[in-house]
Amino acid sequence: MGLADRMIRLLWASGGEDVAERVLRAHWRLLPSDDAAGRALRDRLVEVLVRELPGRFEKIRQAVLDDELSLLDETERAAPSRSTVLAIIRALPVGGTS
């Protein structure tokens, strides 16, 4: 799955079609070459989602987790290393619903 498809899926799962279209149009930027997985872009989009959809924090967090898991290969999924698990935990947005 390509980066654009992953980001659309993340936004769609968090806020639906209208939110996904609006946020992507406003915040899609070219990625730095050292961020091939698009984590910097995802972080920007998640920041916008958390601010605009505070009642959907758990959906946003789950979408980020799903995205991180989609980046793993079969071996990592079957037996993730400690560093892989820690990287996924660090990637999850911090906060919660009010």
Side-chain angles (χ1 to χ4, degrees), residues 8-30:
I8 290 167
R9 182 180 67 182
L10 175 112
L11 290 165
W12 194 294
S14 301
E17 181 178 7
D18 294 341
V19 170
E21 181 179 1
R22 182 176 46 75
V23 171
L24 279 174
R25 285 183 192 276
H27 298 280
W28 185 271
R29 294 185 187 112
L30 292 177

Side-chain angles (χ1 to χ4, degrees), residues 34-84:
D34 63 344
D35 187 26
R39 287 184 175 97
L41 172 61
R42 185 185 66 202
D43 289 348
R44 279 197 304 264
L45 298 178
V46 165
E47 183 180 313
V48 171
L49 286 172
V50 168
R51 188 174 56 247
E52 292 191 17
L53 305 169
R56 297 189 187 171
F57 182 79
E58 290 307 319
K59 280 188 171 188
I60 296 166
R61 190 173 166 90
Q62 182 63 50
V64 171
L65 177 59
D66 293 344
D67 187 54
E68 276 296 316
L69 294 175
S70 77
L71 294 172
L72 301 179
D73 62 26
E74 287 182 33
T75 304
E76 290 175 309
R77 254 181 248 143
S81 67
R82 182 176 187 269
S83 63
T84 297

